[in-house]
Coordinates of all heavy atoms in Angstrom, one line a residue:
E1 N 53.9 69.0 16.3 CA 52.7 68.9 17.0 C 52.4 67.6 17.7 O 51.6 67.5 18.6 CB 51.5 69.1 16.0 CG 51.5 70.5 15.5 CD 50.3 70.8 14.6 OE1 49.4 70.0 14.6 OE2 50.4 71.8 13.8
K2 N 53.2 66.5 17.3 CA 52.8 65.2 17.9 C 54.1 64.4 18.1 O 55.1 64.5 17.3 CB 51.9 64.5 16.8 CG 51.4 63.1 17.3 CD 50.5 62.5 16.2 CE 49.3 63.3 16.1 NZ 48.4 62.9 15.1
R3 N 54.1 63.5 19.1 CA 55.2 62.6 19.4 C 54.5 61.3 19.7 O 53.5 61.2 20.4 CB 56.0 63.1 20.6 CG 56.6 64.4 20.3 CD 58.0 64.5 21.0 NE 58.9 65.6 20.6 CZ 59.3 65.9 19.4 NH1 58.9 65.3 18.4 NH2 60.1 66.9 19.3
L4 N 55.1 60.2 19.2 CA 54.6 58.8 19.4 C 55.8 57.9 19.8 O 56.8 58.0 19.2 CB 54.0 58.2 18.2 CG 52.7 58.9 17.6 CD1 52.2 58.2 16.4 CD2 51.6 58.8 18.7
T5 N 55.5 57.1 20.8 CA 56.4 56.0 21.1 C 56.3 54.9 20.1 O 55.3 54.9 19.3 CB 56.2 55.4 22.5 OG1 54.9 54.8 22.5 CG2 56.2 56.5 23.6
Y6 N 57.2 53.9 20.1 CA 57.1 52.8 19.2 C 55.8 52.0 19.4 O 55.2 51.6 18.5 CB 58.3 51.8 19.4 CG 59.6 52.3 18.7 CD1 60.6 53.0 19.3 CD2 59.7 52.0 17.3 CE1 61.7 53.3 18.7 CE2 60.9 52.4 16.6 CZ 61.9 53.1 17.3 OH 63.0 53.4 16.6
A7 N 55.4 51.8 20.7 CA 54.2 51.1 21.0 C 53.0 51.8 20.4 O 52.1 51.2 19.8 CB 54.1 50.9 22.5
E8 N 52.9 53.2 20.7 CA 51.8 54.0 20.2 C 51.8 53.9 18.6 O 50.7 53.8 18.0 CB 51.9 55.4 20.6 CG 51.7 55.6 22.1 CD 52.2 56.9 22.6 OE1 53.0 57.6 22.0 OE2 51.6 57.3 23.7
A9 N 53.0 54.1 18.0 CA 53.0 54.1 16.6 C 52.6 52.7 16.0 O 51.9 52.7 15.0 CB 54.4 54.4 16.1
Q10 N 53.1 51.6 16.6 CA 52.7 50.3 16.2 C 51.2 50.1 16.2 O 50.6 49.5 15.3 CB 53.4 49.2 17.0 CG 53.2 47.8 16.5 CD 53.8 47.6 15.1 OE1 55.0 47.8 14.9 NE2 53.0 47.2 14.1
K11 N 50.6 50.6 17.3 CA 49.1 50.5 17.4 C 48.4 51.3 16.2 O 47.5 50.8 15.6 CB 48.7 51.0 18.7 CG 47.2 50.8 19.0 CD 46.8 51.3 20.4 CE 45.4 51.1 20.7 NZ 45.0 51.5 22.0
C12 N 48.9 52.5 15.9 CA 48.4 53.3 14.8 C 48.6 52.6 13.5 O 47.7 52.6 12.7 CB 49.0 54.6 14.8 SG 48.6 55.7 16.2
I13 N 49.7 52.0 13.3 CA 50.1 51.4 12.0 C 49.1 50.2 11.8 O 48.6 50.0 10.7 CB 51.5 50.9 12.0 CG1 52.4 52.2 11.9 CG2 51.8 49.9 10.9 CD1 53.9 51.9 12.3
D14 N 48.9 49.4 12.9 CA 48.1 48.2 12.7 C 46.6 48.6 12.5 O 45.9 48.0 11.6 CB 48.1 47.4 14.0 CG 49.5 46.7 14.2 OD1 50.2 46.5 13.2 OD2 49.7 46.3 15.4
R15 N 46.2 49.7 13.1 CA 44.8 50.2 12.9 C 44.6 50.7 11.5 O 43.6 50.5 10.8 CB 44.4 51.2 13.9 CG 44.2 50.6 15.3 CD 43.9 51.7 16.3 NE 42.5 52.2 16.0 CZ 42.1 53.3 16.5 NH1 42.8 54.1 17.3 NH2 40.9 53.8 16.2
L16 N 45.6 51.5 11.0 CA 45.6 52.0 9.6 C 45.6 50.9 8.6 O 44.7 50.9 7.7 CB 46.8 52.9 9.4 CG 46.7 54.3 9.9 CD1 48.1 55.0 9.8 CD2 45.7 55.1 9.1
A17 N 46.4 49.9 8.8 CA 46.5 48.8 7.8 C 45.2 48.1 7.8 O 44.6 47.7 6.7 CB 47.6 47.8 8.2
S18 N 44.6 47.8 9.0 CA 43.3 47.1 9.0 C 42.2 48.0 8.4 O 41.4 47.5 7.6 CB 42.9 46.9 10.5 OG 41.7 46.3 10.6
G19 N 42.3 49.3 8.6 CA 41.3 50.2 8.0 C 41.4 50.2 6.5 O 40.3 50.3 5.8
F20 N 42.6 50.2 5.9 CA 42.7 50.2 4.5 C 42.1 48.9 3.9 O 41.4 49.0 2.8 CB 44.2 50.2 4.1 CG 44.9 51.5 4.4 CD1 46.1 51.5 5.0 CD2 44.3 52.7 4.1 CE1 46.8 52.7 5.3 CE2 44.9 53.9 4.4 CZ 46.1 53.9 5.0
V21 N 42.3 47.8 4.5 CA 41.7 46.5 4.1 C 40.2 46.6 4.2 O 39.4 46.2 3.2 CB 42.3 45.3 4.8 CG1 41.5 44.0 4.5 CG2 43.7 45.2 4.6
K22 N 39.7 47.1 5.3 CA 38.2 47.3 5.4 C 37.6 48.2 4.4 O 36.4 48.0 4.0 CB 37.9 47.7 6.9 CG 38.1 46.7 7.9 CD 37.8 47.2 9.3 CE 38.0 46.1 10.3 NZ 37.9 46.6 11.7
L23 N 38.4 49.2 3.9 CA 37.9 50.1 2.9 C 37.8 49.4 1.5 O 37.3 50.0 0.6 CB 38.8 51.3 2.8 CG 38.6 52.4 3.9 CD1 39.7 53.4 3.7 CD2 37.3 53.0 3.8
G24 N 38.4 48.2 1.4 CA 38.3 47.4 0.2 C 39.6 47.5 -0.6 O 39.7 46.9 -1.7
L25 N 40.7 48.1 -0.1 CA 42.0 48.1 -0.8 C 42.5 46.6 -0.7 O 42.4 46.0 0.3 CB 42.9 49.1 -0.2 CG 42.5 50.5 -0.4 CD1 43.4 51.4 0.5 CD2 42.6 50.9 -1.8
E26 N 43.1 46.2 -1.8 CA 43.7 44.8 -1.9 C 45.2 44.8 -2.1 O 45.7 45.8 -2.5 CB 42.9 44.1 -3.0 CG 41.4 44.0 -2.8 CD 40.7 43.3 -3.9 OE1 41.4 43.0 -4.9 OE2 39.5 43.0 -3.8
K27 N 45.7 43.7 -1.9 CA 47.2 43.5 -2.2 C 47.6 44.0 -3.5 O 46.9 43.8 -4.5 CB 47.5 42.0 -2.1 CG 49.0 41.7 -2.2 CD 49.3 40.2 -2.1 CE 50.7 39.8 -2.1 NZ 51.6 40.6 -3.0
D28 N 48.6 44.8 -3.6 CA 49.2 45.4 -4.8 C 48.4 46.5 -5.3 O 48.7 47.0 -6.4 CB 49.4 44.3 -5.9 CG 50.5 43.3 -5.5 OD1 51.4 43.7 -4.8 OD2 50.4 42.2 -5.9
D29 N 47.4 47.0 -4.6 CA 46.7 48.3 -5.0 C 47.8 49.3 -4.7 O 48.7 49.1 -4.0 CB 45.5 48.5 -4.2 CG 44.3 47.8 -4.7 OD1 44.3 47.2 -5.8 OD2 43.2 47.8 -4.0
V30 N 47.6 50.5 -5.3 CA 48.5 51.6 -5.2 C 47.8 52.8 -4.5 O 46.7 53.2 -5.0 CB 49.1 52.0 -6.5 CG1 50.1 53.2 -6.4 CG2 49.8 50.9 -7.2
V31 N 48.4 53.4 -3.5 CA 47.9 54.5 -2.8 C 49.0 55.6 -2.9 O 50.1 55.4 -2.6 CB 47.5 54.2 -1.4 CG1 47.2 55.5 -0.6 CG2 46.4 53.3 -1.3
I32 N 48.6 56.8 -3.3 CA 49.5 57.9 -3.3 C 49.4 58.7 -2.0 O 48.3 59.0 -1.5 CB 49.1 58.9 -4.5 CG1 49.4 58.1 -5.8 CG2 49.9 60.2 -4.4 CD1 48.9 58.9 -7.0
I33 N 50.5 59.0 -1.4 CA 50.6 59.8 -0.2 C 51.2 61.1 -0.5 O 52.2 61.2 -1.1 CB 51.5 59.1 0.9 CG1 51.1 57.6 1.2 CG2 51.6 59.9 2.1 CD1 52.1 56.9 1.9
Q34 N 50.4 62.2 -0.2 CA 50.8 63.5 -0.5 C 50.7 64.3 0.8 O 49.8 65.1 1.0 CB 50.0 64.1 -1.6 CG 50.6 65.5 -2.1 CD 49.8 66.0 -3.3 OE1 48.7 65.6 -3.5 NE2 50.4 66.9 -4.0
L35 N 51.6 64.1 1.7 CA 51.6 64.7 3.0 C 53.0 65.4 3.3 O 54.0 64.9 2.8 CB 51.4 63.7 4.1 CG 50.1 63.0 4.2 CD1 50.1 61.8 5.2 CD2 49.0 64.0 4.6
P36 N 53.0 66.4 4.1 CA 54.3 67.0 4.5 C 55.0 66.1 5.4 O 54.5 65.0 5.8 CB 53.9 68.3 5.1 CG 52.5 68.1 5.6 CD 51.9 67.1 4.6
N37 N 56.1 66.5 5.9 CA 57.0 65.7 6.8 C 56.4 65.7 8.2 O 56.8 66.5 9.1 CB 58.4 66.2 6.8 CG 59.3 65.3 7.5 OD1 59.0 64.2 7.7 ND2 60.5 65.8 7.8
I38 N 55.3 64.9 8.4 CA 54.6 64.9 9.7 C 54.5 63.4 10.1 O 54.8 62.5 9.3 CB 53.2 65.5 9.6 CG1 52.4 64.8 8.5 CG2 53.3 67.0 9.4 CD1 50.9 65.3 8.5
V39 N 54.2 63.2 11.3 CA 54.1 61.8 11.9 C 53.2 60.9 11.0 O 53.5 59.8 10.7 CB 53.6 61.9 13.3 CG1 53.2 60.5 13.8 CG2 54.6 62.5 14.2
E40 N 52.0 61.5 10.6 CA 51.1 60.7 9.8 C 51.7 60.2 8.5 O 51.3 59.1 8.1 CB 49.8 61.5 9.5 CG 48.9 61.8 10.8 CD 49.4 62.9 11.6 OE1 50.4 63.6 11.3 OE2 48.8 63.2 12.7
A41 N 52.6 60.9 7.9 CA 53.2 60.5 6.7 C 54.1 59.2 7.0 O 54.0 58.2 6.2 CB 54.1 61.6 6.1
A42 N 54.8 59.2 8.1 CA 55.6 58.0 8.4 C 54.7 56.8 8.7 O 55.0 55.7 8.3 CB 56.5 58.3 9.6
L43 N 53.6 57.1 9.4 CA 52.7 56.0 9.8 C 52.1 55.4 8.5 O 52.0 54.1 8.4 CB 51.5 56.5 10.7 CG 52.0 57.0 12.0 CD1 50.8 57.6 12.8 CD2 52.6 55.9 12.9
M44 N 51.7 56.2 7.5 CA 51.2 55.7 6.3 C 52.2 54.9 5.5 O 51.9 53.8 4.9 CB 50.8 56.9 5.4 CG 49.6 57.7 5.9 SD 48.0 56.9 5.6 CE 47.8 57.1 3.9
R45 N 53.5 55.3 5.5 CA 54.5 54.6 4.8 C 54.8 53.2 5.4 O 55.3 52.3 4.7 CB 55.9 55.4 4.8 CG 55.8 56.6 4.0 CD 55.9 56.4 2.5 NE 57.2 55.8 2.1 CZ 57.3 54.9 1.2 NH1 56.3 54.3 0.6 NH2 58.5 54.4 0.9
L46 N 54.4 53.0 6.6 CA 54.6 51.7 7.3 C 53.3 50.9 7.2 O 53.3 49.7 7.1 CB 55.0 51.9 8.7 CG 56.5 52.3 8.9 CD1 56.7 52.9 10.2 CD2 57.4 51.2 8.6
A47 N 52.1 51.6 7.3 CA 50.9 50.9 7.3 C 50.5 50.3 6.0 O 49.9 49.2 5.9 CB 49.8 51.8 7.8

């Protein structure tokens, strides 16, 4: 359903990482990812 270039993906990764911090998650907190093999799963693994 979705295709992203490196530039688009990098922008998403940076926004996700910033969003996690704004939500109050801190260094060494643990987040479980339970997603199928979709673009969002890869973005989460990098963010």
